[in-house]
Amino acid sequence: MSMETIAGRAGVGKAAIYRRWANKEALVLATLQRTFHSTPRTAPVGNSVREDLIDLMWQMRKNILETREGIAFAVLIQALASNRDLMYRYQETVIEPRREQYREVLRRGTANGELRPDLDVERTTVMLTSTLLFVCKLYPTFEVTEDYCVGLVDDVLLGAAAGGASAAPEHLGSESESAGAHS
């Protein structure tokens, strides 16, 4: 991929490309941002940390499995692996804003007492998002249902609940047990 090729396909001169983007990396990053932010993300709509996390997980699942973004993700990750700087910029501009939604919900939960005050928000965010991404991308024959997303959230919240697993709300224990059948 060269700037000459890009300009030719766009039907413009190379100078026109450079007026808008400083270099190829900036052009690629802008393209990734536009492509991978094309599916609107909505704020979670629940009345609790649990409901908000389930909503975010379901949005993520739908994005991974039902949009062109999700289909292109595996190819994109391979391409970015050979360019660490571009990978970091992609993570910073595309991935992190999405993960921040999870962090906000988890921070709110620690602040209002729904979750343990010592909860590692970053680790919990990674547990939720990476598990769903892994299952959606590496197990194409596995049906990631809404029940699976609910079970994943409930399993994580059992350990994150204020007072630990023994103090987890009753609905978390029963749903997590049934969600275990999905795992």
Side-chain angles (χ1 to χ4, degrees), residues 65-83:
L65 295 176
E66 298 175 12
T67 68
R68 63 187 172 109
E69 299 169 29
I71 293 166
F73 185 76
V75 173
L76 171 67
I77 292 303
Q78 274 187 312
L80 290 176
S82 63
N83 185 333

Side-chain angles (χ1 to χ4, degrees), residues 26-99:
L27 171 63
V28 170
L29 188 60
T31 302
L32 293 174
Q33 286 174 300
R34 191 176 119 212
T35 301
F36 285 87
H37 276 286
S38 63
T39 303
R41 301 296 180 269
T42 59
V45 296
N47 295 314
S48 67
V49 168
R50 178 180 180 268
E51 290 177 10
D52 284 351
L53 290 174
I54 290 168
D55 185 51
L56 288 172
M57 295 298 285
W58 190 242
Q59 286 184 55
M60 181 179 171
R61 177 251 174 235
K62 288 172 73 173
N63 184 59
I64 293 169
L65 295 176
E66 298 175 12
T67 68
R68 63 187 172 109
E69 299 169 29
I71 293 166
F73 185 76
V75 173
L76 171 67
I77 292 303
Q78 274 187 312
L80 290 176
S82 63
N83 185 333
R84 290 183 67 79
D85 290 337
L86 188 57
M87 174 63 100
Y88 286 125
R89 299 226 17 235
Y90 170 74
Q91 183 173 347
E92 176 183 271
T93 59
V94 176
I95 302 297
E96 286 306 310
R98 293 175 180 179
R99 292 180 67 221

Side-chain angles (χ1 to χ4, degrees), residues 124-146:
T124 305
T125 298
V126 169
M127 283 189 284
L128 288 167
T129 58
S130 63
T131 300
L132 189 61
L133 180 62
F134 183 83
V135 171
C136 287
K137 284 300 181 187
L138 295 178
Y139 291 100
T141 58
F142 184 85
E143 185 178 357
V144 181
T145 63
E146 189 167 8

